[in-house]
Amino acid sequence: KQEVTQIPAALSVPEGENLVLNCSFTDSAIYNLQWFRQDPGKGLTSLLLIQSSQREQTSGRLNASLDKSSGRSTLYIAASQPGDSATYLCAVESYNTDKLIFGTGTRLQVFP
Amino acid sequence: DGGITQSPKYLFRKEGQNVTLSCEQNLNHDAMYWYRQDPGQGLRLIYYSQIVNDFQKGDIAEGYSVSREKKESFPLTVTSAQKNPTAFYLCASSIAGYNQPQHFGDGTRLSIL
């Protein structure tokens, strides 16, 4: 059974820091890994989707990497800003379930 | 603007009552999904539909029902059989097939009176 874990559960950093969020998964038979952002009381916003054949994807200050063999992904946020404060969730689309399996998220606070 | 609209934003249920959450999308997506989000547990899939007039159970379908009579609409009914319905409910849609990002609505928060 696919399990997705995100560490740390919460993170607080000063503005301007570069930071890394971690996501691990137990079954490497995946189509893709996705990173989402969730603001309090809101839905999820898709940030990046990395297909299983890809190693990384970039969007602006965000860079996500995927190491399928080791079951790990990282989301790198450069030059963090207070507006980046949110919960970040990763999810994998697995072969054997055809569904997205979500981690429990990392709650990020960037303070001025 | 293209997107997903969920209504109402807040909903209260009495004991023994069925309630229906609305989800409408104008993205022309074939696939639609319902998730439940509880604190500290991430999102869990309730039901999903890949095409009109067809839907499948997710991981926690007991106590819930859905219909998919129109491409744009995928309402979720929380029945009285669902004994712990207090949660944040999220609807999503995507282009059918693999490697398609899901687009989410802003959610409905359901509470018990």
Side-chain angles (χ1 to χ4, degrees), chain B residues 10-29:
Chain B
Y10 300 97
L11 187 58
F12 298 91
R13 196 190 88 169
K14 296 179 182 179
E15 290 288 338
Q17 186 181 42
N18 294 350
V19 292
T20 298
L21 286 60
S22 171
C23 178
E24 303 277 334
Q25 56 99 358
N26 60 5
L27 299 168
N28 200 34
H29 287 165

Side-chain angles (χ1 to χ4, degrees), chain A residues 1-6 23-34 52 66-73 90-104, chain B residues 41 43-44 59:
Chain A
K1 178 186 173 186
Q2 178 74 269
E3 293 183 1
V4 180
T5 304
Q6 292 187 247
C23 174
S24 61
F25 49 95
T26 55
D27 185 351
S28 62
I30 63 171
Y31 292 111
N32 62 71
L33 183 142
Q34 302 183 36
S52 62
L66 174 63
D67 184 344
K68 199 173 69 166
S69 61
S70 68
R72 295 178 189 274
S73 175
C90 69
V92 296
E93 187 174 6
S94 292
Y95 284 170
N96 60 353
T97 63
D98 295 337
K99 295 177 289 192
L100 276 182
I101 308 297
F102 283 84
T104 53
Chain B
Q41 290 197 39
L43 276 70
R44 291 181 289 168
D59 299 317

Side-chain angles (χ1 to χ4, degrees), chain A residues 43-104:
Chain A
L44 279 63
T45 299
S46 178
L47 296 174
L48 292 164
L49 183 154
I50 312 175
Q51 297 184 27
S52 62
S53 59
Q54 299 173 326
R55 298 285 290 182
E56 64 179 328
Q57 283 286 333
T58 298
S59 176
R61 294 183 294 108
L62 306 179
N63 176 276
S65 66
L66 174 63
D67 184 344
K68 199 173 69 166
S69 61
S70 68
R72 295 178 189 274
S73 175
T74 61
L75 179 67
Y76 175 83
I77 302 177
S80 58
Q81 303 170 357
D84 295 329
S85 299
T87 296
Y88 291 81
L89 296 104
C90 69
V92 296
E93 187 174 6
S94 292
Y95 284 170
N96 60 353
T97 63
D98 295 337
K99 295 177 289 192
L100 276 182
I101 308 297
F102 283 84
T104 53

Side-chain angles (χ1 to χ4, degrees), chain B residues 25-105:
Chain B
Q25 56 99 358
N26 60 5
L27 299 168
N28 200 34
H29 287 165
D30 285 307
M32 296 187 75
Y33 312 84
W34 273 106
Y35 294 93
R36 170 178 172 143
Q37 187 175 32
D38 295 281
Q41 290 197 39
L43 276 70
R44 291 181 289 168
L45 184 64
I46 305 172
Y47 269 98
Y48 62 106
S49 167
Q50 300 285 356
I51 196 168
V52 174
N53 293 321
D54 189 41
F55 49 83
Q56 287 78 40
K57 293 181 179 180
D59 299 317
I60 54 166
E62 186 174 350
Y64 300 96
S65 66
V66 293
S67 63
R68 186 83 188 279
E69 297 176 0
K70 297 187 300 182
K71 187 175 185 178
E72 306 79 33
S73 179
F74 191 39
L76 173 74
T77 296
V78 184
T79 74
S80 57
Q82 173 49 245
K83 298 307 180 188
N84 184 24
T86 298
F88 190 50
Y89 291 87
L90 288 162
C91 178
S93 72
S94 72
I95 296 170
Y98 305 118
N99 294 320
Q100 300 297 336
Q102 292 187 13
H103 301 258
F104 284 78

